[in-house]
Amino acid sequence: MCGYHESISVTELCEYAANVDIPIARESIRAVGKIALQQYDVNAIVDRLLQFLEMEKDYVTAEALVLVKDLLRKYPQWSHDCIAVVGNISSKNVQEPKAKSALIWMLGEYSQDMDDAPYVLESLIENWEEEHFAEVRLHLLTAVMKCFFKRPPETQKALGAALAAGLADFHQDVHDRALFYYRLLQQDVSIAERVVSPPKQAVSVFADTQSSEIKDRIFDEFNSLSVVYQKPSYMFTDKEHRGPFEFSDEMGHLSIGAEPADNVIPAQIVDANDKDLLLSTSEKEESKIPSHNGSAYNAPSYGISSQTDLITVSDSSSTRHSPQASLAIDDLLGLSLSSPAPAPLPPQLKLNPKAVLEPSTFQQKWRQLPIALSQEHSMSPQGIAALTNPQALLRHMQGHSIHCIASGGQSPNFKFFFFAQKAESLSTYLVECIVNTSSARAQIKIKADDQSTSEAFSTLFQSALSKFGLP
């Protein structure tokens, strides 16, 4: 499809975008976007996509936003035309998660060109609790970080609020990304900028246009660097390190044999394409070109160096950040996450390894002393398996200075009575431990002469019990 026929097809597809049948309208917009990403004449197609954004239909706007994001990733030279239209879209009118994520990505990536970007991001962060999709919250964290590096004074407050909300988020991925960003800022702001907002190259190939052979090869090499680089190993390993099976780009299939030396791509040449959420590869000729080549584009900077004047950062040659730098970040962003040094731990309880207690004394104390602690403890599968010989548990606990005075029962319930004595003291601890092998849980009751140390003894006892059966 090219030239005149392409234009006719795009025109017909655009007419379907206004169709009352929503699924057909969505598919027609996606088709127009796919044509644009196939490196045909993009000029007219970009205008069509931007017209979709002005149709004021939620589902049309949603599909168009996703396509405009991909378009900007492949053709960054169109950013000014696209951002001028996207800037007029209210985030309140975008509800679909993929569309909202696309809008947020553009707010962060092109915040220097969108006057209201910091304030739109701030309003989205204020409604963090109402955003139910983790995908959107993840994009929001990254976008506000990028915006901070380009417009720090306006984004300072929003970044602090986003990191605080992310660290308290119930979703593990969101929590981990917020913690990662926070620690990056603590370490060195300039390093954080290079990690989160580096210069990027335009994406050359998207996952849905990638050959199935390459996708299968990456999946076959799942437990390898192929997943990290998002390309088969033959594309980033030297000839001598390859296995007997090699991949031929020209034939499009796996073949056995050596590849000509001039086709070997050095391992250190790895493109820095924007690959978030997408697998992408470069053509052989492109991947041989160094990353500083003119085809790479640098996102425009807006006061990049100004944030280093606001934040005290540690020496880049140091691998550790000082408490003062952490406190400076917290103070700047309005956070209170860096806590003072913890108080020293109390001395660990030491037990007498040669403790002796008469059975009659144990019985008397057990009747007289109140229960200091009653707890339930989960046992490891190895410990439950080792209980086929209950004597093994007695020997194990004795190795931790906790002695058994009586035991009994049969599977699945075993009962043990233990005692221990505090070193250099006559203070005694008594324990009733009932183990149920079916539930792999132990019911523990502790009595003590000195109840103020019951918690410390309980910690010792459960620690010893947790190690039972382990190598």
mmCIF file of all heavy atoms in Angstrom, residues 107-108 110-126 140 143-144 147-148 150-159 302:
data_model
loop_
_atom_site.group_PDB
_atom_site.id
_atom_site.type_symbol
_atom_site.label_atom_id
_atom_site.label_comp_id
_atom_site.label_asym_id
_atom_site.label_seq_id
_atom_site.Cartn_x
_atom_site.Cartn_y
_atom_site.Cartn_z
ATOM 1 N N LEU A 107 2.833 14.383 29.518
ATOM 2 C CA LEU A 107 3.008 15.484 30.469
ATOM 3 C C LEU A 107 4.407 15.465 31.065
ATOM 4 O O LEU A 107 5.003 16.520 31.313
ATOM 5 C CB LEU A 107 1.963 15.380 31.581
ATOM 6 C CG LEU A 107 0.520 15.723 31.207
ATOM 7 C CD1 LEU A 107 -0.438 15.321 32.312
ATOM 8 C CD2 LEU A 107 0.379 17.222 30.907
ATOM 9 N N GLY A 108 4.942 14.282 31.312
ATOM 10 C CA GLY A 108 6.284 14.192 31.863
ATOM 11 C C GLY A 108 7.362 14.369 30.820
ATOM 12 O O GLY A 108 8.350 15.088 31.038
ATOM 13 N N TYR A 110 7.254 15.865 27.862
ATOM 14 C CA TYR A 110 7.287 17.170 27.194
ATOM 15 C C TYR A 110 6.802 18.280 28.123
ATOM 16 O O TYR A 110 6.163 19.244 27.684
ATOM 17 C CB TYR A 110 6.436 17.117 25.924
ATOM 18 C CG TYR A 110 6.975 16.137 24.908
ATOM 19 C CD1 TYR A 110 6.430 14.858 24.802
ATOM 20 C CD2 TYR A 110 8.043 16.458 24.092
ATOM 21 C CE1 TYR A 110 6.928 13.935 23.892
ATOM 22 C CE2 TYR A 110 8.558 15.548 23.179
ATOM 23 C CZ TYR A 110 7.992 14.289 23.083
ATOM 24 O OH TYR A 110 8.504 13.383 22.187
ATOM 25 N N SER A 111 7.134 18.144 29.407
ATOM 26 C CA SER A 111 6.669 19.144 30.382
ATOM 27 C C SER A 111 7.269 20.520 30.110
ATOM 28 O O SER A 111 6.680 21.537 30.492
ATOM 29 C CB SER A 111 7.026 18.693 31.802
ATOM 30 O OG SER A 111 8.407 18.405 31.905
ATOM 31 N N GLN A 112 8.429 20.571 29.445
ATOM 32 C CA GLN A 112 9.031 21.866 29.134
ATOM 33 C C GLN A 112 8.229 22.613 28.066
ATOM 34 O O GLN A 112 8.354 23.831 27.945
ATOM 35 C CB GLN A 112 10.485 21.693 28.683
ATOM 36 C CG GLN A 112 10.682 21.118 27.292
ATOM 37 C CD GLN A 112 10.481 19.613 27.240
ATOM 38 O OE1 GLN A 112 10.379 18.966 28.281
ATOM 39 N NE2 GLN A 112 10.432 19.059 26.032
ATOM 40 N N ASP A 113 7.407 21.894 27.302
ATOM 41 C CA ASP A 113 6.613 22.525 26.242
ATOM 42 C C ASP A 113 5.148 22.725 26.633
ATOM 43 O O ASP A 113 4.385 23.301 25.861
ATOM 44 C CB ASP A 113 6.665 21.667 24.970
ATOM 45 C CG ASP A 113 8.077 21.551 24.416
ATOM 46 O OD1 ASP A 113 8.840 22.532 24.521
ATOM 47 O OD2 ASP A 113 8.426 20.470 23.891
ATOM 48 N N MET A 114 4.761 22.206 27.804
ATOM 49 C CA MET A 114 3.365 22.300 28.239
ATOM 50 C C MET A 114 3.318 23.133 29.517
ATOM 51 O O MET A 114 3.750 22.687 30.593
ATOM 52 C CB MET A 114 2.784 20.899 28.465
ATOM 53 C CG MET A 114 2.883 20.008 27.225
ATOM 54 S SD MET A 114 2.406 18.291 27.509
ATOM 55 C CE MET A 114 0.624 18.458 27.635
ATOM 56 N N ASP A 115 2.809 24.332 29.410
ATOM 57 C CA ASP A 115 2.847 25.281 30.525
ATOM 58 C C ASP A 115 2.199 24.726 31.790
ATOM 59 O O ASP A 115 2.669 24.977 32.898
ATOM 60 C CB ASP A 115 2.154 26.592 30.122
ATOM 61 C CG ASP A 115 2.922 27.329 29.029
ATOM 62 O OD1 ASP A 115 4.137 27.060 28.898
ATOM 63 O OD2 ASP A 115 2.313 28.151 28.319
ATOM 64 N N ASP A 116 1.105 23.986 31.630
ATOM 65 C CA ASP A 116 0.348 23.528 32.793
ATOM 66 C C ASP A 116 0.769 22.141 33.281
ATOM 67 O O ASP A 116 0.143 21.605 34.196
ATOM 68 C CB ASP A 116 -1.157 23.497 32.462
ATOM 69 C CG ASP A 116 -1.706 24.883 32.189
ATOM 70 O OD1 ASP A 116 -1.130 25.856 32.711
ATOM 71 O OD2 ASP A 116 -2.712 24.995 31.464
ATOM 72 N N ALA A 117 1.796 21.562 32.689
ATOM 73 C CA ALA A 117 2.160 20.180 33.021
ATOM 74 C C ALA A 117 2.372 19.944 34.519
ATOM 75 O O ALA A 117 1.807 19.002 35.084
ATOM 76 C CB ALA A 117 3.395 19.755 32.234
ATOM 77 N N PRO A 118 3.153 20.776 35.234
ATOM 78 C CA PRO A 118 3.357 20.499 36.662
ATOM 79 C C PRO A 118 2.063 20.553 37.468
ATOM 80 O O PRO A 118 1.881 19.780 38.424
ATOM 81 C CB PRO A 118 4.326 21.598 37.107
ATOM 82 C CG PRO A 118 4.972 22.087 35.848
ATOM 83 C CD PRO A 118 3.931 21.934 34.786
ATOM 84 N N TYR A 119 1.165 21.429 37.058
ATOM 85 C CA TYR A 119 -0.064 21.623 37.821
ATOM 86 C C TYR A 119 -1.093 20.533 37.523
ATOM 87 O O TYR A 119 -1.860 20.129 38.394
ATOM 88 C CB TYR A 119 -0.628 23.020 37.530
ATOM 89 C CG TYR A 119 0.452 24.077 37.615
ATOM 90 C CD1 TYR A 119 0.949 24.691 36.474
ATOM 91 C CD2 TYR A 119 1.018 24.410 38.845
ATOM 92 C CE1 TYR A 119 1.965 25.628 36.542
ATOM 93 C CE2 TYR A 119 2.032 25.356 38.932
ATOM 94 C CZ TYR A 119 2.504 25.955 37.777
ATOM 95 O OH TYR A 119 3.516 26.867 37.851
ATOM 96 N N VAL A 120 -1.085 20.037 36.279
ATOM 97 C CA VAL A 120 -1.957 18.904 35.943
ATOM 98 C C VAL A 120 -1.492 17.661 36.694
ATOM 99 O O VAL A 120 -2.298 16.922 37.268
ATOM 100 C CB VAL A 120 -1.958 18.644 34.423
ATOM 101 C CG1 VAL A 120 -2.757 17.390 34.095
ATOM 102 C CG2 VAL A 120 -2.528 19.843 33.671
ATOM 103 N N LEU A 121 -0.175 17.448 36.716
ATOM 104 C CA LEU A 121 0.364 16.309 37.459
ATOM 105 C C LEU A 121 0.061 16.435 38.946
ATOM 106 O O LEU A 121 -0.276 15.449 39.618
ATOM 107 C CB LEU A 121 1.875 16.207 37.237
ATOM 108 C CG LEU A 121 2.328 15.796 35.829
ATOM 109 C CD1 LEU A 121 3.836 15.928 35.688
ATOM 110 C CD2 LEU A 121 1.887 14.371 35.513
ATOM 111 N N GLU A 122 0.158 17.639 39.454
ATOM 112 C CA GLU A 122 -0.126 17.853 40.883
ATOM 113 C C GLU A 122 -1.583 17.521 41.210
ATOM 114 O O GLU A 122 -1.883 16.909 42.244
ATOM 115 C CB GLU A 122 0.191 19.295 41.266
ATOM 116 C CG GLU A 122 0.047 19.573 42.763
ATOM 117 C CD GLU A 122 0.497 20.982 43.129
ATOM 118 O OE1 GLU A 122 0.780 21.781 42.210
ATOM 119 O OE2 GLU A 122 0.575 21.271 44.333
ATOM 120 N N SER A 123 -2.499 17.911 40.333
ATOM 121 C CA SER A 123 -3.914 17.608 40.579
ATOM 122 C C SER A 123 -4.173 16.106 40.529
ATOM 123 O O SER A 123 -4.995 15.582 41.287
ATOM 124 C CB SER A 123 -4.788 18.336 39.550
ATOM 125 O OG SER A 123 -4.576 17.812 38.246
ATOM 126 N N LEU A 124 -3.471 15.394 39.642
ATOM 127 C CA LEU A 124 -3.621 13.940 39.574
ATOM 128 C C LEU A 124 -3.075 13.274 40.835
ATOM 129 O O LEU A 124 -3.648 12.306 41.351
ATOM 130 C CB LEU A 124 -2.892 13.398 38.345
ATOM 131 C CG LEU A 124 -3.521 13.733 36.983
ATOM 132 C CD1 LEU A 124 -2.567 13.389 35.849
ATOM 133 C CD2 LEU A 124 -4.840 12.991 36.799
ATOM 134 N N ILE A 125 -1.980 13.808 41.356
ATOM 135 C CA ILE A 125 -1.397 13.253 42.585
ATOM 136 C C ILE A 125 -2.307 13.498 43.776
ATOM 137 O O ILE A 125 -2.422 12.653 44.672
ATOM 138 C CB ILE A 125 0.002 13.854 42.812
ATOM 139 C CG1 ILE A 125 0.959 13.378 41.712
ATOM 140 C CG2 ILE A 125 0.552 13.472 44.183
ATOM 141 C CD1 ILE A 125 2.255 14.149 41.641
ATOM 142 N N GLU A 126 -2.976 14.637 43.794
ATOM 143 C CA GLU A 126 -3.909 14.922 44.890
ATOM 144 C C GLU A 126 -5.056 13.917 44.934
ATOM 145 O O GLU A 126 -5.634 13.670 45.993
ATOM 146 C CB GLU A 126 -4.465 16.343 44.733
ATOM 147 C CG GLU A 126 -3.428 17.432 45.025
ATOM 148 C CD GLU A 126 -3.948 18.810 44.716
ATOM 149 O OE1 GLU A 126 -5.084 18.922 44.164
ATOM 150 O OE2 GLU A 126 -3.247 19.801 45.016
ATOM 151 N N LEU A 140 2.516 7.940 36.648
ATOM 152 C CA LEU A 140 2.474 9.225 37.340
ATOM 153 C C LEU A 140 3.766 9.474 38.116
ATOM 154 O O LEU A 140 4.294 10.592 38.120
ATOM 155 C CB LEU A 140 1.260 9.243 38.279
ATOM 156 C CG LEU A 140 0.860 10.585 38.895
ATOM 157 C CD1 LEU A 140 0.698 11.639 37.821
ATOM 158 C CD2 LEU A 140 -0.443 10.420 39.671
ATOM 159 N N ALA A 143 6.447 10.316 35.497
ATOM 160 C CA ALA A 143 6.205 11.612 34.854
ATOM 161 C C ALA A 143 6.563 12.769 35.776
ATOM 162 O O ALA A 143 7.174 13.765 35.336
ATOM 163 C CB ALA A 143 4.744 11.710 34.419
ATOM 164 N N VAL A 144 6.211 12.674 37.046
ATOM 165 C CA VAL A 144 6.505 13.777 37.965
ATOM 166 C C VAL A 144 8.004 13.867 38.224
ATOM 167 O O VAL A 144 8.550 14.961 38.423
ATOM 168 C CB VAL A 144 5.698 13.625 39.276
ATOM 169 C CG1 VAL A 144 6.270 12.551 40.177
ATOM 170 C CG2 VAL A 144 5.639 14.947 40.033
ATOM 171 N N CYS A 147 9.342 15.657 35.129
ATOM 172 C CA CYS A 147 8.949 17.060 35.191
ATOM 173 C C CYS A 147 9.821 17.818 36.198
ATOM 174 O O CYS A 147 10.189 18.974 35.976
ATOM 175 C CB CYS A 147 7.473 17.159 35.566
ATOM 176 S SG CYS A 147 6.784 18.819 35.449
ATOM 177 N N PHE A 148 10.174 17.156 37.291
ATOM 178 C CA PHE A 148 11.014 17.784 38.308
ATOM 179 C C PHE A 148 12.391 18.145 37.754
ATOM 180 O O PHE A 148 12.940 19.197 38.068
ATOM 181 C CB PHE A 148 11.159 16.840 39.504
ATOM 182 C CG PHE A 148 12.115 17.331 40.552
ATOM 183 C CD1 PHE A 148 11.778 18.392 41.384
ATOM 184 C CD2 PHE A 148 13.366 16.747 40.700
ATOM 185 C CE1 PHE A 148 12.664 18.858 42.345
ATOM 186 C CE2 PHE A 148 14.256 17.197 41.660
ATOM 187 C CZ PHE A 148 13.906 18.257 42.487
ATOM 188 N N LYS A 150 13.087 18.958 34.788
ATOM 189 C CA LYS A 150 12.987 20.029 33.794
ATOM 190 C C LYS A 150 12.453 21.330 34.395
ATOM 191 O O LYS A 150 12.835 22.416 33.962
ATOM 192 C CB LYS A 150 12.074 19.581 32.642
ATOM 193 C CG LYS A 150 12.641 18.371 31.886
ATOM 194 C CD LYS A 150 11.612 17.739 30.972
ATOM 195 C CE LYS A 150 12.173 16.467 30.337
ATOM 196 N NZ LYS A 150 11.182 15.738 29.539
ATOM 197 N N ARG A 151 11.569 21.215 35.401
ATOM 198 C CA ARG A 151 10.984 22.412 36.018
ATOM 199 C C ARG A 151 10.914 22.195 37.532
ATOM 200 O O ARG A 151 9.833 22.065 38.110
ATOM 201 C CB ARG A 151 9.602 22.670 35.425
ATOM 202 C CG ARG A 151 9.661 22.908 33.919
ATOM 203 C CD ARG A 151 8.300 22.905 33.261
ATOM 204 N NE ARG A 151 7.462 23.995 33.673
ATOM 205 C CZ ARG A 151 6.273 24.275 33.112
ATOM 206 N NH1 ARG A 151 5.842 23.534 32.097
ATOM 207 N NH2 ARG A 151 5.551 25.269 33.543
ATOM 208 N N PRO A 152 12.070 22.173 38.187
ATOM 209 C CA PRO A 152 12.112 21.812 39.607
ATOM 210 C C PRO A 152 11.303 22.698 40.550
ATOM 211 O O PRO A 152 10.608 22.167 41.425
ATOM 212 C CB PRO A 152 13.601 21.835 39.939
ATOM 213 C CG PRO A 152 14.249 22.579 38.839
ATOM 214 C CD PRO A 152 13.398 22.398 37.627
ATOM 215 N N PRO A 153 11.348 24.034 40.422
ATOM 216 C CA PRO A 153 10.609 24.832 41.412
ATOM 217 C C PRO A 153 9.105 24.557 41.402
ATOM 218 O O PRO A 153 8.468 24.517 42.455
ATOM 219 C CB PRO A 153 10.916 26.283 40.987
ATOM 220 C CG PRO A 153 12.153 26.191 40.160
ATOM 221 C CD PRO A 153 12.061 24.884 39.459
ATOM 222 N N GLU A 154 8.551 24.326 40.210
ATOM 223 C CA GLU A 154 7.106 24.131 40.101
ATOM 224 C C GLU A 154 6.675 22.712 40.472
ATOM 225 O O GLU A 154 5.502 22.475 40.769
ATOM 226 C CB GLU A 154 6.647 24.431 38.672
ATOM 227 C CG GLU A 154 6.924 25.862 38.244
ATOM 228 C CD GLU A 154 6.826 26.026 36.733
ATOM 229 O OE1 GLU A 154 7.830 25.731 36.055
ATOM 230 O OE2 GLU A 154 5.755 26.422 36.253
ATOM 231 N N THR A 155 7.612 21.767 40.438
ATOM 232 C CA THR A 155 7.253 20.359 40.630
ATOM 233 C C THR A 155 7.704 19.822 41.984
ATOM 234 O O THR A 155 7.366 18.701 42.354
ATOM 235 C CB THR A 155 7.889 19.499 39.515
ATOM 236 O OG1 THR A 155 7.765 20.184 38.267
ATOM 237 C CG2 THR A 155 7.197 18.154 39.384
ATOM 238 N N GLN A 156 8.447 20.630 42.720
ATOM 239 C CA GLN A 156 9.012 20.183 43.989
ATOM 240 C C GLN A 156 7.956 19.613 44.928
ATOM 241 O O GLN A 156 8.085 18.493 45.452
ATOM 242 C CB GLN A 156 9.723 21.381 44.629
ATOM 243 C CG GLN A 156 10.188 21.194 46.048
ATOM 244 C CD GLN A 156 10.795 22.480 46.596
ATOM 245 O OE1 GLN A 156 11.319 23.298 45.846
ATOM 246 N NE2 GLN A 156 10.710 22.661 47.893
ATOM 247 N N LYS A 157 6.894 20.357 45.160
ATOM 248 C CA LYS A 157 5.840 19.910 46.074
ATOM 249 C C LYS A 157 5.149 18.655 45.555
ATOM 250 O O LYS A 157 4.876 17.713 46.317
ATOM 251 C CB LYS A 157 4.823 21.033 46.264
ATOM 252 C CG LYS A 157 3.663 20.664 47.189
ATOM 253 C CD LYS A 157 2.685 21.828 47.297
ATOM 254 C CE LYS A 157 1.472 21.438 48.142
ATOM 255 N NZ LYS A 157 0.482 22.551 48.216
ATOM 256 N N ALA A 158 4.862 18.616 44.253
ATOM 257 C CA ALA A 158 4.162 17.463 43.670
ATOM 258 C C ALA A 158 5.006 16.200 43.775
ATOM 259 O O ALA A 158 4.480 15.113 44.041
ATOM 260 C CB ALA A 158 3.813 17.749 42.206
ATOM 261 N N LEU A 159 6.321 16.326 43.567
ATOM 262 C CA LEU A 159 7.179 15.155 43.664
ATOM 263 C C LEU A 159 7.202 14.591 45.076
ATOM 264 O O LEU A 159 7.141 13.381 45.279
ATOM 265 C CB LEU A 159 8.596 15.508 43.204
ATOM 266 C CG LEU A 159 9.625 14.377 43.291
ATOM 267 C CD1 LEU A 159 9.177 13.167 42.477
ATOM 268 C CD2 LEU A 159 10.993 14.850 42.829
ATOM 269 N N TYR A 302 14.955 22.175 30.172
ATOM 270 C CA TYR A 302 14.422 23.440 30.668
ATOM 271 C C TYR A 302 14.979 23.625 32.072
ATOM 272 O O TYR A 302 14.522 23.012 33.016
ATOM 273 C CB TYR A 302 12.900 23.402 30.701
ATOM 274 C CG TYR A 302 12.250 24.672 31.206
ATOM 275 C CD1 TYR A 302 11.863 25.676 30.326
ATOM 276 C CD2 TYR A 302 12.031 24.865 32.564
ATOM 277 C CE1 TYR A 302 11.266 26.828 30.782
ATOM 278 C CE2 TYR A 302 11.438 26.021 33.032
ATOM 279 C CZ TYR A 302 11.061 27.003 32.133
ATOM 280 O OH TYR A 302 10.470 28.139 32.600
#
